Amino acid sequence: MTRQVSILNFVSSAEGLPTKILVELERKLESAVGDDSFISEACMPLLKGGKRLRPILFLISSRAGGSSSYEKLLPLAAAIELIHTASLVHDDILDASKVRRGVSTANAKYGAQIAVLIGDYLFAKAFQFVAEGKFGDEVAEILSKLVKNLCIGEIKQDRSLFVVPTLAEYYERITLKTAIFLSSCCRLGALTAGLDRSMVEALSSYGMSLGLAFQITDDMLDVFGDENLTGKKIGGDLKSGVITLPILRALESEELHSIVTKKNISDAEVERAIEIVRASDSLRYCRRRAEAHVEAARIILPSTIDRTVGKVLEQAAFFIVERSW
């Protein structure tokens, strides 16, 4: 629990959210996988240890107008986290990942066939929560488009493994896989709060910029991070053939280019590639880009937003680029 609490510092000024509401969110997530003992055993390790960034952004955004009932929104907050977890389960299958959040992936423990079904179960449970909560057609449409874009992003990534993307192609991929998700969380919060369309669009744009910064930071951690903090092996994307922004920046090195475009990269080659990237200006470059997206997110926040909520969203933006896991 310590890791999860530490990551909630950026919402500490939001009344009641880090304690009562997040405890209730955890209970709702536990109930989502309580239908069957095997499902519970398989899913609980996956649900524990997450940042909860997406449901937190949703809940905070729902207070942008100054008032909202967190309790009524908990099923939708839980659905958002379940969709995220389901996408990670399927992502781990595609990447043949063995570790996620410091524990064995569903793919590693049960094989791809069962892992696919676990991911499908989590998707289904998410939409069950949405239906039971009677959140309306627009909410269902946003979530359906979100899942569609996650799939498109994964397909594009899988079809371009070990191929050097253009900067535009990289941004398209991270927009589909991450930025649209965070944007949707903020949009859903604003919609459920009944805010006017200009506020909805502003918070959605804030989430989009935040999502770009988040994924760039994630990609930096895959090369420059600490495995003990990230909970997954450094160089995992590189090993899987996913060429990210830190790699792109250092590709003037012919040696690095030959390694990352080679299928079946050895562990020794991964280590060498990381050495090359770390010796370049890649970290500084990627951090500048992430910080620029964070600044764009902060600027787009409307002046009419509730002051407490605005402060928390600014803290969230800073957390995105400062985190170490």
Side-chain angles (χ1 to χ4, degrees):
M1 190 67 177
T2 303
R3 256 178 74 170
Q4 189 169 327
V5 169
S6 68
I7 206 163
L8 299 178
N9 289 338
F10 70 85
V11 294
S12 60
S13 59
E15 183 180 353
L17 183 57
T19 52
K20 176 186 173 183
I21 298 304
L22 286 174
V23 168
E24 292 300 318
L25 175 60
E26 294 307 309
R27 288 176 181 164
K28 190 68 176 176
L29 291 171
E30 288 179 17
S31 75
V33 297
D35 294 342
D36 176 86
S37 59
F38 175 76
I39 292 290
S40 180
E41 177 188 333
C43 292
M44 281 310 298
L46 307 174
L47 288 171
K48 289 185 179 295
K51 300 176 185 67
R52 305 292 187 257
L53 176 63
R54 290 157 182 81
I56 287 172
L57 284 175
F58 161 66
L59 290 169
I60 293 296
S61 297
S62 76
R63 295 294 293 269
S67 64
S68 182
S69 171
Y70 283 140
E71 287 78 6
K72 291 181 180 179
L73 299 178
L74 275 176
L76 184 48
I80 287 168
E81 185 66 17
L82 290 173
I83 289 172
H84 173 54
T85 306
S87 72
L88 296 181
V89 172
H90 287 170
D91 190 36
D92 288 337
I93 297 168
L94 292 171
D95 295 343
S97 298
K98 302 299 182 185
V99 177
R100 166 81 66 176
R101 295 173 176 170
V103 298
S104 296
T105 62
N107 181 53
K109 289 179 70 174
Y110 308 109
Q113 290 178 315
I114 294 296
V116 167
L117 295 174
I118 289 171
D120 290 348
Y121 172 90
L122 293 171
F123 276 128
K125 198 67 183 185
F127 281 95
Q128 180 184 335
F129 279 171
V130 174
E132 291 173 350
K134 296 180 171 58
F135 291 104
D137 292 342
E138 189 170 9
V139 168
E141 181 181 358
I142 290 170
L143 290 176
S144 298
K145 286 182 177 178
L146 165 61
V147 174
K148 177 197 73 175
N149 285 314
L150 286 173
C151 292
I152 293 173
E154 283 291 352
I155 290 169
K156 284 181 176 293
Q157 178 174 291
D158 192 64
R159 289 178 61 83
S160 60
L161 297 179
F162 303 101
V163 176
V164 176
T166 64
L167 188 60
E169 288 168 341
Y170 168 78
Y171 266 96
E172 179 189 29
R173 189 174 73 210
I174 67 172
T175 296
L176 289 166
K177 289 191 61 180
T178 305
I180 287 176
F181 204 148
L182 270 62
S183 176
S184 297
C185 293
C186 296
R187 176 178 289 274
L188 287 168
L191 283 172
T192 54
L195 302 181
D196 64 50
R197 281 292 162 178
S198 64
M199 289 275 280
V200 171
E201 294 306 322
L203 282 168
S204 180
S205 295
Y206 160 86
M208 185 70 75
S209 291
L210 203 69
L212 294 173
F214 182 91
Q215 189 57 57
I216 290 172
T217 302
D218 239 29
D219 293 342
M220 288 162 57
L221 290 173
D222 187 65
V223 178
F224 300 99
D226 182 337
E227 292 181 12
N228 294 320
L229 296 175
T230 63
K232 53 186 178 181
K233 190 170 180 60
I234 298 301
D237 286 338
L238 199 156
K239 179 84 170 176
S240 301
V242 179
I243 298 176
T244 58
L245 190 60
I247 309 300
L248 277 177
R249 178 61 179 177
L251 273 181
E252 287 184 1
S253 164
E254 293 184 7
E255 182 185 3
L256 179 63
H257 190 285
S258 67
I259 291 173
V260 300
T261 55
K262 172 188 173 184
K263 296 182 180 179
N264 301 315
I265 304 175
S266 69
D267 290 342
E269 287 172 322
V270 170
E271 290 180 9
R272 176 56 185 152
I274 290 173
E275 281 181 14
I276 295 170
V277 177
R278 288 181 174 180
S280 73
D281 71 342
S282 182
L283 178 60
R284 190 182 315 110
Y285 170 82
C286 293
R287 184 174 290 279
R288 282 201 305 266
R289 277 195 169 267
E291 288 173 348
H293 291 303
V294 162
E295 185 61 20
R298 290 179 61 250
I299 290 172
I300 200 65
L301 286 173
S303 59
T304 53
I305 200 171
D306 177 84
R307 285 184 63 187
T308 299
V309 171
K311 179 182 177 182
V312 174
L313 291 177
E314 286 200 6
Q315 289 174 332
F318 285 123
F319 161 74
I320 290 298
V321 292
E322 295 300 327
R323 66 196 171 95
S324 57
W325 65 286

